[in-house]
Amino acid sequence: MENSPKKRPLDGIRVLEIASMVFGPLAGQYLGDMGADVIKLEPPEGDLTRSIGPRRSPRMGAFFLTSNRSKRSIVVDLKRPEGRKILHRLLAKTDVLLHSMRTPAAARLGLDYETLAKTHPSLVYCHVTGYGDEGEYGGRPAYDDIIQAASGLAMLQQVVAGQPRYIPTIVADKISGLHAAYAIVLAVMHRMRTGEGQQVDVPMFETMAAFNMIEHQWGHIFEPPVGNMGYAPVVAAARRPYRTLDGYLSLLPYSDAHWRRFFELAGEPQIMDDPRFTLFASRQVHFREVWDEIERQIGRKTNAEWLRLLTPEDIPFSPVNSIEDLRDDPHLKSVDFWSVREHPTEGSLLIPRNPLRMSASPPDITRLPPGLGEHSAEILRECEFDDESAHLMLAVGGVCAPAP
């Protein structure tokens, strides 16, 4: 598993990750799947997510396992002078520093970009934050819930919940993690062309504000505005999963041909004679009545009946799955989405594949999630510490020893 048969895009690139929770670690996981040698530097107590979720052994919680594969782990107590010596030996062999520390803490360790750029001018330095250091909110702490609230995402949920609610997934962390990964790759490309490193800042608030504006800026794309913000079919909750006789179905006919065929399948083709339904433009104006009619039609049949009718057609649809359904989803099985891997300490793990398809340099799960400090000894050797020094650092109470 650690030796992919094909080259991967980031083979030969070393990433030093000093990040906890999900935002930074998920970005590091994406880079590791792409071939980067990701070294996760953890404090003696480990990433906080090691203690979250079901586990078979201490410090290997489910929350940690899902966002920390394709990495090596070294424990370093950065509060101690010996720890900072290890840090700077690592930086001398690093292409990318990815960290989530707040700026004052990073500066105390000499990890601010201005300091590092003097001795490591080719370093790609990626700082992932809730809020950036500049601006009115500069330096504020934030997690996923806070950014969902700040970016308007929580308020959008009131159309279905009757009050602001968080989306039940850590969507801000995950979307921001994707942005961080592609920003790092772009900066690495720049360095390969010019030899020049740079600072990369990925603030969650601006990331999610821009993400939400893609459809919801609406009339405010113009200055002055020519309408309200909010994509009408979404903010009015007209489009939604619809109840069938025994479950729920998601349906999205889009073209005129889709709509005509759907009502033929429903047994009421005459509905398309109604001018509100006939053309795309009229359906946009009368979207509430149109989608209410969809709801009425969907409710007349079972999921199995709709599945039989819609599967041969070109109309976008899906049964509404639970997350548990995904484990046995026929399509995911057919593309080998799930695989069972044997972890040396955690036993059998069910792992989703990286979803990207690249014919010449495909991503791969290069390593299963590391135990706390599992690779400390080998990384110290790579940093050219002699055996005696490494032994002292790894011993109980040493700067590379996990907390009891």
Side-chain angles (χ1 to χ4, degrees):
M1 180 171 54
E2 295 187 13
N3 294 307
S4 175
K6 291 187 177 183
K7 293 284 289 181
R8 295 185 303 280
L10 296 181
D11 282 345
I13 299 296
R14 174 170 284 184
V15 178
L16 179 59
E17 175 195 305
I18 311 177
S20 63
M21 298 306 287
V22 175
F23 180 4
L26 186 60
Q29 177 167 282
Y30 291 134
L31 300 173
D33 283 355
M34 289 296 173
D37 176 17
V38 181
I39 295 176
K40 184 178 182 71
L41 190 154
E42 302 185 66
E45 63 273 17
D47 188 321
L48 290 173
T49 59
R50 288 184 177 274
S51 301
I52 300 176
R55 72 206 73 171
R56 288 175 174 160
S57 60
R59 294 174 171 156
M60 292 296 280
F63 210 63
F64 175 84
L65 295 175
T66 53
S67 55
N68 285 283
R69 68 178 184 238
S70 299
K71 302 177 187 180
R72 297 190 287 167
S73 169
I74 181 173
V75 167
V76 181
D77 186 349
L78 294 178
K79 297 175 183 177
R80 296 166 61 173
E82 312 97 287
R84 292 191 287 278
K85 182 177 180 181
I86 296 169
L87 171 64
H88 288 286
R89 290 257 188 121
L90 280 168
L91 284 169
K93 297 175 177 290
T94 290
D95 301 292
V96 178
L97 173 62
L98 166 63
H99 84 85
S100 62
M101 290 180 285
R102 294 169 72 182
T103 298
R108 287 193 295 271
L109 295 170
L111 284 179
D112 55 292
Y113 180 68
E114 291 74 14
T115 298
L116 291 179
K118 294 173 183 176
T119 51
H120 306 288
S122 63
L123 180 68
V124 172
Y125 177 102
C126 182
H127 189 198
V128 297
T129 59
Y131 296 97
D133 291 329
E134 299 177 353
E136 186 72 20
Y137 304 156
R140 284 188 184 180
Y143 289 100
D144 190 274
D145 291 358
I146 307 305
I147 299 302
Q148 286 202 39
S151 68
L153 197 58
M155 186 62 77
L156 282 168
Q157 306 316 303
Q158 71 176 343
V159 302
V160 291
Q163 60 183 325
R165 297 294 295 269
Y166 303 129
I167 292 177
T169 180
I170 47 175
V171 65
D173 271 323
K174 292 188 284 189
I175 289 169
S176 299
L178 283 166
H179 278 73
Y182 90 68
I184 288 170
V185 170
L186 293 175
V188 168
M189 289 177 63
H190 175 83
R191 194 184 83 153
M192 292 173 68
R193 290 171 176 166
T194 68
E196 180 184 32
Q198 63 181 295
Q199 181 170 356
V200 177
D201 291 299
V202 186
M204 291 172 73
F205 180 41
E206 289 97 314
T207 299
M208 290 306 297
F211 181 83
N212 289 337
M213 287 301 103
I214 290 170
E215 76 274 38
H216 289 302
Q217 193 170 350
W218 207 237
H220 281 245
I221 188 65
F222 302 99
E223 187 60 41
V226 298
N228 295 329
M229 277 196 178
Y231 180 37
V234 174
V235 297
R239 284 181 6 199
R240 55 194 179 273
Y242 299 107
R243 186 184 290 276
T244 64
L245 287 176
D246 62 351
Y248 287 87
L249 188 80
S250 174
L251 181 80
L252 192 58
Y254 226 82
S255 68
D256 294 343
H258 285 162
W259 283 87
R260 188 173 301 107
R261 182 58 178 151
F262 170 74
F263 285 117
E264 288 174 356
L265 295 170
E268 297 197 41
Q270 75 284 353
I271 290 176
M272 283 300 287
D273 296 332
D274 186 324
R276 295 174 299 173
F277 289 78
T278 305
L279 299 174
F280 180 86
S282 59
R283 291 193 297 272
Q284 293 296 301
V285 173
H286 300 284
F287 64 85
R288 186 175 294 280
E289 301 101 297
V290 167
W291 290 104
D292 284 349
E293 183 60 36
I294 288 287
E295 182 172 41
R296 187 177 76 84
Q297 297 294 337
I298 293 295
R300 297 168 57 203
K301 301 182 189 299
T302 65
N303 271 22
E305 289 175 304
W306 282 120
L307 188 65
R308 178 178 58 81
L309 289 169
L310 291 168
T311 296
E313 305 294 333
D314 193 39
I315 302 170
F317 83 99
S318 175
V320 177
N321 291 324
S322 68
I323 53 175
E324 290 80 8
D325 291 331
L326 299 182
R327 179 165 180 153
D328 295 313
D329 182 88
H331 176 79
L332 294 180
K333 282 187 170 182
S334 71
V335 297
D336 297 322
F337 178 78
W338 298 106
S339 63
V340 175
R341 308 288 182 100
E342 291 299 318
H343 192 282
T345 63
E346 305 313 300
S348 297
L349 299 179
L350 183 67
I351 307 290
R353 68 182 295 173
N354 188 302
L356 301 183
R357 300 287 191 272
M358 301 174 67
S359 62
S361 53
D364 191 17
I365 299 171
T366 56
R367 297 174 183 268
L368 293 176
L372 179 58
E374 178 181 342
H375 305 96
S376 292
E378 69 182 57
I379 294 170
L380 288 174
R381 287 195 296 272
E382 291 170 10
C383 290
E384 300 175 5
F385 286 99
D386 59 56
D387 290 344
E388 182 179 357
S389 298
H391 178 75
L392 291 173
M393 292 172 180
L394 294 164
V396 175
V399 70
C400 293

